[in-house]
Amino acid sequence: MDADDRNILARSRVATRLPAQDLDRARRFYSGTLGLDPVDERPGGLLYRCGGVDFVVFRSTGASSGAFTQMGWEVDDVETAVAELRRRGVVFEDVDAPGFRTRGGIAEVEGNYPSKGASGERGAWFRDSEGNLLGIGEPVR
């Protein structure tokens, strides 16, 4: 038995929770703009599933600062994903910081986690209807 087998959190699934001040507006964004429909719902919450992983958009009186990436998707081709999402009306963030700049909405990110077998990542970021900062990334192999 290794350490992960003994740790209840290490052997559990992770699920993201994203706040929405207007759940109907969020539903329209995730469905109409991103093409995602909830797999389940309850009063005050929408459950989505992508690639076998769940995330929830929930009604909240608070709002995210949107100052950091709250959730991201790993894609095979970030350029194709950006183009498709732009066709759907998504506006990508422009970033211009030391060592990190988007060009055409996509940034080249040096380094990556060695366990992923990649030397870096190409990434892009956008906001949902509620101001949550979301990302898409493609590992560079």
Side-chain angles (χ1 to χ4, degrees):
M1 179 179 286
D2 67 22
D4 285 351
D5 291 332
R6 292 187 302 269
N7 185 312
I8 191 167
L9 295 180
R11 67 177 189 261
S12 299
R13 290 174 30 127
V14 174
T16 298
R17 305 291 190 252
L18 299 171
Q21 290 189 328
D22 185 328
L23 198 57
D24 290 331
R25 178 177 60 205
R27 179 195 297 268
R28 287 190 302 273
F29 176 83
Y30 281 88
S31 178
T33 304
L34 299 186
L36 301 173
D37 292 315
V39 296
D40 201 356
E41 57 187 277
R42 63 170 176 74
L46 304 169
L47 174 68
Y48 293 88
R49 187 165 293 135
C50 297
V53 178
D54 296 344
F55 73 94
V56 169
V57 178
F58 68 96
R59 181 178 297 116
S60 174
T61 57
S64 164
S65 71
F68 56 87
T69 307
Q70 293 164 260
M71 183 176 77
W73 288 267
E74 190 172 286
V75 298
D76 294 328
D77 182 343
V78 74
E79 288 178 356
T80 298
V82 165
E84 172 63 26
L85 290 171
R86 278 191 172 134
R87 279 193 292 280
R88 293 173 165 268
V90 171
V91 176
F92 285 86
E93 299 285 305
D94 286 321
V95 178
D96 187 0
F100 191 86
R101 175 178 292 160
T102 54
R103 289 180 176 79
I106 300 171
E108 304 288 331
V109 182
E110 287 187 33
N112 208 327
Y113 302 103
S115 64
K116 289 187 157 219
S119 61
E121 184 174 31
R122 300 180 70 221
W125 295 264
F126 62 95
R127 294 181 190 282
D128 71 4
S129 60
E130 307 309 299
N132 297 303
L133 187 60
L134 308 174
I136 55 175
E138 170 192 356
V140 175
R141 292 187 164 78

Short mmCIF file of all heavy atoms in Angstrom, two decimals, residues 33-103:
data_model
loop_
_atom_site.label_atom_id
_atom_site.label_comp_id
_atom_site.label_asym_id
_atom_site.label_seq_id
_atom_site.Cartn_x
_atom_site.Cartn_y
_atom_site.Cartn_z
N THR A 33 -22.75 29.30 -25.64
CA THR A 33 -21.42 29.72 -26.07
C THR A 33 -20.42 28.57 -26.06
O THR A 33 -19.68 28.38 -27.02
CB THR A 33 -20.90 30.88 -25.19
OG1 THR A 33 -21.86 31.94 -25.23
CG2 THR A 33 -19.56 31.40 -25.67
N LEU A 34 -20.39 27.79 -24.99
CA LEU A 34 -19.42 26.70 -24.90
C LEU A 34 -19.95 25.38 -25.44
O LEU A 34 -19.18 24.44 -25.65
CB LEU A 34 -18.95 26.52 -23.45
CG LEU A 34 -18.25 27.71 -22.81
CD1 LEU A 34 -17.71 27.32 -21.44
CD2 LEU A 34 -17.15 28.28 -23.69
N GLY A 35 -21.27 25.28 -25.64
CA GLY A 35 -21.84 24.03 -26.16
C GLY A 35 -21.92 22.93 -25.13
O GLY A 35 -21.97 21.75 -25.48
N LEU A 36 -21.96 23.28 -23.85
CA LEU A 36 -22.04 22.30 -22.78
C LEU A 36 -23.41 22.37 -22.12
O LEU A 36 -23.89 23.44 -21.79
CB LEU A 36 -20.97 22.58 -21.72
CG LEU A 36 -19.52 22.57 -22.19
CD1 LEU A 36 -18.60 23.04 -21.06
CD2 LEU A 36 -19.12 21.19 -22.67
N ASP A 37 -24.02 21.23 -21.92
CA ASP A 37 -25.29 21.17 -21.20
C ASP A 37 -25.09 20.42 -19.90
O ASP A 37 -24.30 19.48 -19.83
CB ASP A 37 -26.35 20.46 -22.05
CG ASP A 37 -26.74 21.29 -23.27
OD1 ASP A 37 -26.94 22.51 -23.11
OD2 ASP A 37 -26.82 20.72 -24.36
N PRO A 38 -25.80 20.83 -18.85
CA PRO A 38 -25.63 20.12 -17.57
C PRO A 38 -26.09 18.67 -17.68
O PRO A 38 -27.04 18.37 -18.39
CB PRO A 38 -26.52 20.92 -16.60
CG PRO A 38 -27.37 21.80 -17.42
CD PRO A 38 -26.78 21.91 -18.77
N VAL A 39 -25.37 17.80 -16.99
CA VAL A 39 -25.77 16.40 -16.93
C VAL A 39 -26.73 16.16 -15.78
O VAL A 39 -27.40 15.14 -15.73
CB VAL A 39 -24.55 15.44 -16.81
CG1 VAL A 39 -23.68 15.53 -18.05
CG2 VAL A 39 -23.75 15.70 -15.55
N ASP A 40 -26.81 17.14 -14.87
CA ASP A 40 -27.71 17.05 -13.74
C ASP A 40 -27.86 18.46 -13.18
O ASP A 40 -27.04 19.34 -13.45
CB ASP A 40 -27.14 16.12 -12.67
CG ASP A 40 -28.20 15.57 -11.72
OD1 ASP A 40 -29.39 15.96 -11.84
OD2 ASP A 40 -27.83 14.77 -10.86
N GLU A 41 -28.92 18.67 -12.42
CA GLU A 41 -29.09 19.98 -11.78
C GLU A 41 -29.93 19.83 -10.54
O GLU A 41 -30.61 18.84 -10.33
CB GLU A 41 -29.69 20.99 -12.75
CG GLU A 41 -31.01 20.62 -13.36
CD GLU A 41 -31.43 21.61 -14.43
OE1 GLU A 41 -32.00 22.67 -14.07
OE2 GLU A 41 -31.17 21.35 -15.61
N ARG A 42 -29.83 20.82 -9.71
CA ARG A 42 -30.62 20.93 -8.50
C ARG A 42 -30.92 22.41 -8.33
O ARG A 42 -30.29 23.25 -8.99
CB ARG A 42 -29.87 20.37 -7.30
CG ARG A 42 -28.59 21.15 -6.98
CD ARG A 42 -28.01 20.73 -5.66
NE ARG A 42 -26.76 21.36 -5.37
CZ ARG A 42 -26.59 22.64 -5.02
NH1 ARG A 42 -27.62 23.44 -4.89
NH2 ARG A 42 -25.40 23.12 -4.77
N PRO A 43 -31.83 22.77 -7.47
CA PRO A 43 -32.06 24.21 -7.25
C PRO A 43 -30.75 24.87 -6.83
O PRO A 43 -30.10 24.44 -5.88
CB PRO A 43 -33.09 24.25 -6.13
CG PRO A 43 -33.81 22.93 -6.24
CD PRO A 43 -32.76 21.95 -6.69
N GLY A 44 -30.32 25.85 -7.59
CA GLY A 44 -29.11 26.58 -7.25
C GLY A 44 -27.82 25.99 -7.78
O GLY A 44 -26.75 26.51 -7.48
N GLY A 45 -27.87 24.93 -8.58
CA GLY A 45 -26.63 24.34 -9.08
C GLY A 45 -26.79 23.57 -10.37
O GLY A 45 -27.82 22.92 -10.59
N LEU A 46 -25.78 23.65 -11.21
CA LEU A 46 -25.73 22.93 -12.48
C LEU A 46 -24.47 22.07 -12.49
O LEU A 46 -23.37 22.57 -12.25
CB LEU A 46 -25.68 23.92 -13.65
CG LEU A 46 -26.81 24.94 -13.72
CD1 LEU A 46 -26.50 26.01 -14.76
CD2 LEU A 46 -28.13 24.24 -14.01
N LEU A 47 -24.62 20.78 -12.77
CA LEU A 47 -23.50 19.85 -12.81
C LEU A 47 -23.15 19.56 -14.26
O LEU A 47 -24.01 19.15 -15.05
CB LEU A 47 -23.88 18.54 -12.09
CG LEU A 47 -22.87 17.40 -12.16
CD1 LEU A 47 -21.62 17.75 -11.37
CD2 LEU A 47 -23.49 16.11 -11.65
N TYR A 48 -21.88 19.77 -14.59
CA TYR A 48 -21.37 19.51 -15.94
C TYR A 48 -20.32 18.40 -15.85
O TYR A 48 -19.68 18.22 -14.82
CB TYR A 48 -20.72 20.77 -16.52
CG TYR A 48 -21.71 21.87 -16.77
CD1 TYR A 48 -22.02 22.79 -15.77
CD2 TYR A 48 -22.34 22.00 -18.00
CE1 TYR A 48 -22.93 23.81 -16.00
CE2 TYR A 48 -23.26 23.01 -18.23
CZ TYR A 48 -23.55 23.91 -17.22
OH TYR A 48 -24.46 24.92 -17.44
N ARG A 49 -20.13 17.68 -16.96
CA ARG A 49 -19.13 16.62 -16.98
C ARG A 49 -18.36 16.74 -18.30
O ARG A 49 -18.95 16.75 -19.37
CB ARG A 49 -19.79 15.26 -16.88
CG ARG A 49 -18.82 14.10 -16.74
CD ARG A 49 -19.52 12.83 -16.27
NE ARG A 49 -20.00 13.02 -14.90
CZ ARG A 49 -21.22 12.66 -14.49
NH1 ARG A 49 -22.06 12.09 -15.31
NH2 ARG A 49 -21.58 12.86 -13.22
N CYS A 50 -17.05 16.85 -18.19
CA CYS A 50 -16.17 16.92 -19.36
C CYS A 50 -15.05 15.90 -19.16
O CYS A 50 -14.36 15.94 -18.14
CB CYS A 50 -15.55 18.31 -19.50
SG CYS A 50 -16.72 19.63 -19.79
N GLY A 51 -14.90 14.99 -20.11
CA GLY A 51 -13.82 14.02 -20.01
C GLY A 51 -13.88 13.17 -18.76
O GLY A 51 -12.86 12.77 -18.23
N GLY A 52 -15.08 12.92 -18.25
CA GLY A 52 -15.25 12.10 -17.06
C GLY A 52 -15.02 12.83 -15.75
O GLY A 52 -15.03 12.21 -14.69
N VAL A 53 -14.81 14.13 -15.80
CA VAL A 53 -14.58 14.94 -14.60
C VAL A 53 -15.72 15.94 -14.45
O VAL A 53 -16.17 16.54 -15.43
CB VAL A 53 -13.22 15.68 -14.68
CG1 VAL A 53 -13.00 16.55 -13.46
CG2 VAL A 53 -12.09 14.67 -14.84
N ASP A 54 -16.19 16.12 -13.23
CA ASP A 54 -17.32 17.01 -12.97
C ASP A 54 -16.88 18.40 -12.57
O ASP A 54 -15.84 18.58 -11.94
CB ASP A 54 -18.17 16.47 -11.80
CG ASP A 54 -18.81 15.13 -12.11
OD1 ASP A 54 -18.88 14.75 -13.29
OD2 ASP A 54 -19.25 14.48 -11.15
N PHE A 55 -17.72 19.38 -12.93
CA PHE A 55 -17.61 20.71 -12.35
C PHE A 55 -19.02 21.24 -12.16
O PHE A 55 -19.95 20.83 -12.85
CB PHE A 55 -16.72 21.66 -13.16
CG PHE A 55 -17.29 22.17 -14.45
CD1 PHE A 55 -17.96 23.38 -14.51
CD2 PHE A 55 -17.12 21.45 -15.62
CE1 PHE A 55 -18.46 23.87 -15.71
CE2 PHE A 55 -17.60 21.93 -16.83
CZ PHE A 55 -18.29 23.14 -16.87
N VAL A 56 -19.16 22.11 -11.19
CA VAL A 56 -20.46 22.66 -10.82
C VAL A 56 -20.42 24.17 -10.95
O VAL A 56 -19.45 24.81 -10.57
CB VAL A 56 -20.83 22.27 -9.37
CG1 VAL A 56 -22.04 23.05 -8.87
CG2 VAL A 56 -21.06 20.77 -9.26
N VAL A 57 -21.49 24.72 -11.51
CA VAL A 57 -21.71 26.16 -11.48
C VAL A 57 -22.86 26.35 -10.50
O VAL A 57 -23.93 25.74 -10.67
CB VAL A 57 -22.06 26.71 -12.87
CG1 VAL A 57 -22.34 28.20 -12.81
CG2 VAL A 57 -20.93 26.41 -13.86
N PHE A 58 -22.63 27.14 -9.45
CA PHE A 58 -23.64 27.26 -8.40
C PHE A 58 -24.02 28.71 -8.16
O PHE A 58 -23.20 29.62 -8.33
CB PHE A 58 -23.15 26.62 -7.09
CG PHE A 58 -22.02 27.36 -6.44
CD1 PHE A 58 -22.27 28.29 -5.43
CD2 PHE A 58 -20.71 27.15 -6.84
CE1 PHE A 58 -21.24 28.97 -4.81
CE2 PHE A 58 -19.67 27.84 -6.24
CZ PHE A 58 -19.93 28.75 -5.22
N ARG A 59 -25.27 28.92 -7.79
CA ARG A 59 -25.75 30.27 -7.47
C ARG A 59 -25.05 30.74 -6.21
O ARG A 59 -24.98 30.05 -5.21
CB ARG A 59 -27.26 30.26 -7.25
CG ARG A 59 -27.82 31.66 -6.93
CD ARG A 59 -29.33 31.65 -6.77
NE ARG A 59 -30.01 31.26 -8.00
CZ ARG A 59 -30.75 30.15 -8.14
NH1 ARG A 59 -30.93 29.35 -7.12
NH2 ARG A 59 -31.33 29.88 -9.28
N SER A 60 -24.50 31.97 -6.28
CA SER A 60 -23.76 32.51 -5.17
C SER A 60 -24.00 34.01 -5.08
O SER A 60 -24.14 34.68 -6.10
CB SER A 60 -22.25 32.26 -5.39
OG SER A 60 -21.50 32.89 -4.39
N THR A 61 -24.07 34.51 -3.87
CA THR A 61 -24.18 35.97 -3.71
C THR A 61 -22.82 36.62 -3.83
O THR A 61 -22.72 37.81 -4.07
CB THR A 61 -24.79 36.33 -2.34
OG1 THR A 61 -23.99 35.74 -1.30
CG2 THR A 61 -26.22 35.82 -2.24
N GLY A 62 -21.76 35.83 -3.71
CA GLY A 62 -20.40 36.33 -3.88
C GLY A 62 -19.95 36.15 -5.32
O GLY A 62 -20.60 35.45 -6.11
N ALA A 63 -18.86 36.78 -5.66
CA ALA A 63 -18.32 36.66 -7.01
C ALA A 63 -16.83 36.37 -6.93
O ALA A 63 -16.14 36.80 -6.01
CB ALA A 63 -18.54 37.95 -7.79
N SER A 64 -16.34 35.65 -7.90
CA SER A 64 -14.92 35.38 -8.00
C SER A 64 -14.19 36.66 -8.38
O SER A 64 -14.71 37.49 -9.11
CB SER A 64 -14.70 34.33 -9.08
OG SER A 64 -13.36 34.30 -9.45
N SER A 65 -12.96 36.78 -7.92
CA SER A 65 -12.16 37.94 -8.32
C SER A 65 -11.76 37.85 -9.78
O SER A 65 -11.49 38.86 -10.42
CB SER A 65 -10.90 38.03 -7.45
OG SER A 65 -10.00 36.99 -7.79
N GLY A 66 -11.69 36.64 -10.31
CA GLY A 66 -11.26 36.45 -11.69
C GLY A 66 -9.80 36.78 -11.91
O GLY A 66 -9.35 36.97 -13.02
N ALA A 67 -9.04 36.85 -10.82
CA ALA A 67 -7.63 37.23 -10.90
C ALA A 67 -6.71 36.06 -11.21
O ALA A 67 -5.52 36.24 -11.41
CB ALA A 67 -7.20 37.89 -9.59
N PHE A 68 -7.25 34.85 -11.24
CA PHE A 68 -6.44 33.66 -11.50
C PHE A 68 -7.30 32.63 -12.21
O PHE A 68 -8.53 32.69 -12.18
CB PHE A 68 -5.88 33.09 -10.19
CG PHE A 68 -6.96 32.78 -9.19
CD1 PHE A 68 -7.60 31.56 -9.19
CD2 PHE A 68 -7.35 33.74 -8.27
CE1 PHE A 68 -8.62 31.29 -8.28
CE2 PHE A 68 -8.36 33.47 -7.35
CZ PHE A 68 -8.99 32.24 -7.37
N THR A 69 -6.66 31.67 -12.84
CA THR A 69 -7.38 30.60 -13.53
C THR A 69 -8.08 29.72 -12.51
O THR A 69 -7.44 29.18 -11.61
CB THR A 69 -6.42 29.75 -14.38
OG1 THR A 69 -5.66 30.60 -15.23
CG2 THR A 69 -7.18 28.73 -15.21
N GLN A 70 -9.38 29.59 -12.65
CA GLN A 70 -10.16 28.80 -11.71
C GLN A 70 -10.40 27.37 -12.20
O GLN A 70 -10.64 26.47 -11.40
CB GLN A 70 -11.49 29.49 -11.44
CG GLN A 70 -11.29 30.79 -10.70
CD GLN A 70 -12.52 31.64 -10.78
OE1 GLN A 70 -12.59 32.55 -11.58
NE2 GLN A 70 -13.49 31.33 -9.95
N MET A 71 -10.37 27.20 -13.51
CA MET A 71 -10.58 25.87 -14.08
C MET A 71 -10.01 25.89 -15.49
O MET A 71 -10.01 26.93 -16.15
CB MET A 71 -12.07 25.53 -14.13
CG MET A 71 -12.35 24.13 -14.66
SD MET A 71 -14.10 23.69 -14.61
CE MET A 71 -14.72 24.59 -16.02
N GLY A 72 -9.51 24.76 -15.93
CA GLY A 72 -8.98 24.69 -17.28
C GLY A 72 -9.25 23.34 -17.92
O GLY A 72 -9.47 22.35 -17.24
N TRP A 73 -9.24 23.35 -19.24
CA TRP A 73 -9.38 22.14 -20.04
C TRP A 73 -8.05 21.88 -20.73
O TRP A 73 -7.42 22.81 -21.23
CB TRP A 73 -10.45 22.30 -21.12
CG TRP A 73 -11.85 22.33 -20.65
CD1 TRP A 73 -12.71 21.27 -20.53
CD2 TRP A 73 -12.63 23.48 -20.25
NE1 TRP A 73 -13.93 21.68 -20.09
CE2 TRP A 73 -13.91 23.04 -19.91
CE3 TRP A 73 -12.33 24.84 -20.14
CZ2 TRP A 73 -14.90 23.89 -19.48
CZ3 TRP A 73 -13.33 25.69 -19.71
CH2 TRP A 73 -14.60 25.22 -19.38
N GLU A 74 -7.62 20.63 -20.78
CA GLU A 74 -6.44 20.26 -21.54
C GLU A 74 -6.93 19.72 -22.88
O GLU A 74 -7.70 18.77 -22.93
CB GLU A 74 -5.64 19.19 -20.79
CG GLU A 74 -4.29 18.93 -21.40
CD GLU A 74 -3.44 18.03 -20.54
OE1 GLU A 74 -2.94 18.49 -19.50
OE2 GLU A 74 -3.29 16.84 -20.93
N VAL A 75 -6.47 20.36 -23.96
CA VAL A 75 -6.93 20.01 -25.31
C VAL A 75 -5.75 19.50 -26.14
O VAL A 75 -4.59 19.73 -25.80
CB VAL A 75 -7.60 21.22 -26.00
CG1 VAL A 75 -8.84 21.66 -25.23
CG2 VAL A 75 -6.63 22.38 -26.17
N ASP A 76 -6.06 18.81 -27.23
CA ASP A 76 -5.03 18.31 -28.13
C ASP A 76 -4.48 19.38 -29.06
O ASP A 76 -3.35 19.29 -29.51
CB ASP A 76 -5.56 17.15 -28.98
CG ASP A 76 -5.90 15.93 -28.14
OD1 ASP A 76 -5.23 15.69 -27.13
OD2 ASP A 76 -6.84 15.20 -28.51
N ASP A 77 -5.31 20.40 -29.37
CA ASP A 77 -4.91 21.44 -30.32
C ASP A 77 -5.51 22.77 -29.88
O ASP A 77 -6.69 23.05 -30.11
CB ASP A 77 -5.41 21.06 -31.72
CG ASP A 77 -5.01 22.03 -32.81
OD1 ASP A 77 -4.61 23.17 -32.49
OD2 ASP A 77 -5.10 21.65 -33.99
N VAL A 78 -4.70 23.58 -29.20
CA VAL A 78 -5.21 24.83 -28.64
C VAL A 78 -5.64 25.81 -29.73
O VAL A 78 -6.60 26.55 -29.55
CB VAL A 78 -4.19 25.46 -27.64
CG1 VAL A 78 -3.01 26.07 -28.37
CG2 VAL A 78 -4.87 26.48 -26.75
N GLU A 79 -4.95 25.84 -30.86
CA GLU A 79 -5.34 26.75 -31.94
C GLU A 79 -6.74 26.44 -32.46
O GLU A 79 -7.55 27.34 -32.69
CB GLU A 79 -4.32 26.74 -33.06
CG GLU A 79 -3.03 27.43 -32.68
CD GLU A 79 -1.98 27.39 -33.77
OE1 GLU A 79 -2.20 26.75 -34.83
OE2 GLU A 79 -0.92 28.00 -33.57
N THR A 80 -7.02 25.16 -32.66
CA THR A 80 -8.35 24.76 -33.12
C THR A 80 -9.40 25.09 -32.06
O THR A 80 -10.48 25.59 -32.39
CB THR A 80 -8.38 23.25 -33.44
OG1 THR A 80 -7.44 23.01 -34.50
CG2 THR A 80 -9.75 22.78 -33.86
N ALA A 81 -9.09 24.84 -30.79
CA ALA A 81 -10.04 25.14 -29.72
C ALA A 81 -10.31 26.64 -29.63
O ALA A 81 -11.47 27.06 -29.50
CB ALA A 81 -9.51 24.62 -28.38
N VAL A 82 -9.27 27.46 -29.73
CA VAL A 82 -9.44 28.92 -29.68
C VAL A 82 -10.30 29.38 -30.87
O VAL A 82 -11.22 30.17 -30.71
CB VAL A 82 -8.08 29.64 -29.64
CG1 VAL A 82 -8.22 31.12 -29.95
CG2 VAL A 82 -7.42 29.44 -28.29
N ALA A 83 -10.00 28.87 -32.05
CA ALA A 83 -10.77 29.27 -33.24
C ALA A 83 -12.24 28.89 -33.09
O ALA A 83 -13.14 29.70 -33.40
CB ALA A 83 -10.17 28.62 -34.49
N GLU A 84 -12.51 27.68 -32.61
CA GLU A 84 -13.89 27.23 -32.44
C GLU A 84 -14.62 28.09 -31.40
O GLU A 84 -15.77 28.51 -31.60
CB GLU A 84 -13.94 25.76 -32.03
CG GLU A 84 -15.31 25.25 -31.65
CD GLU A 84 -16.33 25.30 -32.79
OE1 GLU A 84 -15.93 25.25 -33.97
OE2 GLU A 84 -17.54 25.39 -32.49
N LEU A 85 -13.96 28.34 -30.28
CA LEU A 85 -14.59 29.15 -29.24
C LEU A 85 -14.80 30.59 -29.69
O LEU A 85 -15.82 31.21 -29.37
CB LEU A 85 -13.79 29.08 -27.95
CG LEU A 85 -13.83 27.72 -27.25
CD1 LEU A 85 -12.83 27.65 -26.11
CD2 LEU A 85 -15.24 27.40 -26.76
N ARG A 86 -13.87 31.12 -30.46
CA ARG A 86 -14.07 32.49 -31.01
C ARG A 86 -15.29 32.52 -31.92
O ARG A 86 -16.05 33.49 -31.90
CB ARG A 86 -12.82 32.94 -31.77
CG ARG A 86 -11.76 33.48 -30.87
CD ARG A 86 -10.66 34.17 -31.66
NE ARG A 86 -9.76 34.83 -30.76
CZ ARG A 86 -8.45 34.77 -30.83
NH1 ARG A 86 -7.86 34.10 -31.80
NH2 ARG A 86 -7.71 35.41 -29.94
N ARG A 87 -15.47 31.49 -32.74
CA ARG A 87 -16.66 31.42 -33.60
C ARG A 87 -17.94 31.43 -32.77
O ARG A 87 -18.97 31.89 -33.22
CB ARG A 87 -16.63 30.17 -34.48
CG ARG A 87 -15.77 30.30 -35.72
CD ARG A 87 -16.01 29.17 -36.71
NE ARG A 87 -15.55 27.88 -36.25
CZ ARG A 87 -14.30 27.45 -36.28
NH1 ARG A 87 -13.35 28.23 -36.74
NH2 ARG A 87 -13.98 26.25 -35.85
N ARG A 88 -17.84 30.91 -31.56
CA ARG A 88 -19.01 30.86 -30.66
C ARG A 88 -19.17 32.15 -29.85
O ARG A 88 -20.07 32.25 -29.05
CB ARG A 88 -18.88 29.67 -29.72
CG ARG A 88 -18.98 28.33 -30.42
CD ARG A 88 -18.66 27.20 -29.44
NE ARG A 88 -19.06 25.92 -29.93
CZ ARG A 88 -20.24 25.36 -29.70
NH1 ARG A 88 -21.14 25.97 -28.98
NH2 ARG A 88 -20.53 24.18 -30.20
N GLY A 89 -18.25 33.09 -30.02
CA GLY A 89 -18.36 34.38 -29.33
C GLY A 89 -17.48 34.58 -28.12
O GLY A 89 -17.58 35.61 -27.44
N VAL A 90 -16.60 33.63 -27.83
CA VAL A 90 -15.70 33.77 -26.69
C VAL A 90 -14.63 34.81 -27.00
O VAL A 90 -14.06 34.83 -28.10
CB VAL A 90 -15.04 32.41 -26.34
CG1 VAL A 90 -13.94 32.57 -25.30
CG2 VAL A 90 -16.10 31.43 -25.84
N VAL A 91 -14.35 35.67 -26.04
CA VAL A 91 -13.30 36.68 -26.15
C VAL A 91 -12.15 36.24 -25.25
O VAL A 91 -12.34 36.03 -24.05
CB VAL A 91 -13.83 38.07 -25.73
CG1 VAL A 91 -12.70 39.09 -25.74
CG2 VAL A 91 -14.98 38.50 -26.62
N PHE A 92 -10.98 36.12 -25.83
CA PHE A 92 -9.81 35.66 -25.08
C PHE A 92 -9.06 36.84 -24.47
O PHE A 92 -9.03 37.93 -25.02
CB PHE A 92 -8.90 34.81 -25.97
CG PHE A 92 -9.48 33.45 -26.20
CD1 PHE A 92 -10.37 33.23 -27.23
CD2 PHE A 92 -9.17 32.40 -25.35
CE1 PHE A 92 -10.95 31.99 -27.42
CE2 PHE A 92 -9.74 31.15 -25.52
CZ PHE A 92 -10.63 30.95 -26.56
N GLU A 93 -8.48 36.59 -23.32
CA GLU A 93 -7.72 37.59 -22.57
C GLU A 93 -6.37 37.83 -23.24
O GLU A 93 -5.73 36.89 -23.72
CB GLU A 93 -7.46 37.10 -21.14
CG GLU A 93 -8.70 36.86 -20.32
CD GLU A 93 -9.34 38.14 -19.86
OE1 GLU A 93 -8.66 38.96 -19.21
OE2 GLU A 93 -10.53 38.32 -20.14
N ASP A 94 -5.93 39.07 -23.25
CA ASP A 94 -4.58 39.42 -23.67
C ASP A 94 -3.74 39.57 -22.41
O ASP A 94 -4.14 40.26 -21.47
CB ASP A 94 -4.56 40.72 -24.45
CG ASP A 94 -5.12 40.55 -25.85
OD1 ASP A 94 -4.84 39.51 -26.48
OD2 ASP A 94 -5.85 41.45 -26.31
N VAL A 95 -2.59 38.92 -22.40
CA VAL A 95 -1.69 38.98 -21.26
C VAL A 95 -0.34 39.50 -21.74
O VAL A 95 0.19 39.00 -22.74
CB VAL A 95 -1.52 37.59 -20.59
CG1 VAL A 95 -0.54 37.65 -19.44
CG2 VAL A 95 -2.86 37.03 -20.16
N ASP A 96 0.19 40.49 -21.06
CA ASP A 96 1.51 41.02 -21.38
C ASP A 96 2.24 41.26 -20.06
O ASP A 96 2.11 42.30 -19.43
CB ASP A 96 1.40 42.31 -22.18
CG ASP A 96 2.75 42.81 -22.68
OD1 ASP A 96 3.77 42.15 -22.41
OD2 ASP A 96 2.77 43.87 -23.33
N ALA A 97 2.97 40.24 -19.63
CA ALA A 97 3.71 40.29 -18.38
C ALA A 97 5.13 39.80 -18.66
O ALA A 97 5.35 39.10 -19.66
CB ALA A 97 3.03 39.41 -17.33
N PRO A 98 6.10 40.14 -17.82
CA PRO A 98 7.47 39.67 -18.04
C PRO A 98 7.51 38.14 -18.19
O PRO A 98 7.04 37.40 -17.33
CB PRO A 98 8.21 40.12 -16.78
CG PRO A 98 7.41 41.30 -16.29
CD PRO A 98 5.98 40.98 -16.63
N GLY A 99 8.03 37.68 -19.32
CA GLY A 99 8.17 36.25 -19.57
C GLY A 99 6.89 35.55 -19.95
O GLY A 99 6.87 34.32 -20.10
N PHE A 100 5.81 36.32 -20.16
CA PHE A 100 4.52 35.69 -20.43
C PHE A 100 3.67 36.65 -21.25
O PHE A 100 3.24 37.67 -20.74
CB PHE A 100 3.83 35.37 -19.09
CG PHE A 100 2.63 34.51 -19.22
CD1 PHE A 100 2.75 33.14 -19.23
CD2 PHE A 100 1.37 35.07 -19.32
CE1 PHE A 100 1.63 32.34 -19.35
CE2 PHE A 100 0.25 34.28 -19.43
CZ PHE A 100 0.39 32.91 -19.44
N ARG A 101 3.47 36.33 -22.51
CA ARG A 101 2.70 37.21 -23.39
C ARG A 101 1.87 36.39 -24.36
O ARG A 101 2.36 35.42 -24.92
CB ARG A 101 3.66 38.10 -24.17
CG ARG A 101 2.97 38.97 -25.20
CD ARG A 101 3.93 39.85 -25.92
NE ARG A 101 4.42 40.82 -24.96
CZ ARG A 101 5.53 41.51 -25.11
NH1 ARG A 101 6.29 41.33 -26.16
NH2 ARG A 101 5.91 42.38 -24.20
N THR A 102 0.61 36.78 -24.51
CA THR A 102 -0.22 36.10 -25.50
C THR A 102 -0.02 36.76 -26.86
O THR A 102 0.15 37.97 -26.97
CB THR A 102 -1.72 36.15 -25.12
OG1 THR A 102 -2.10 37.51 -24.90
CG2 THR A 102 -2.03 35.32 -23.90
N ARG A 103 -0.04 35.93 -27.87
CA ARG A 103 -0.02 36.38 -29.26
C ARG A 103 -1.16 35.65 -29.95
O ARG A 103 -1.18 34.42 -29.96
CB ARG A 103 1.32 36.06 -29.92
CG ARG A 103 2.44 36.92 -29.39
CD ARG A 103 3.77 36.58 -30.07
NE ARG A 103 4.83 37.46 -29.63
CZ ARG A 103 5.48 37.32 -28.48
NH1 ARG A 103 5.17 36.38 -27.65
NH2 ARG A 103 6.45 38.18 -28.16
#
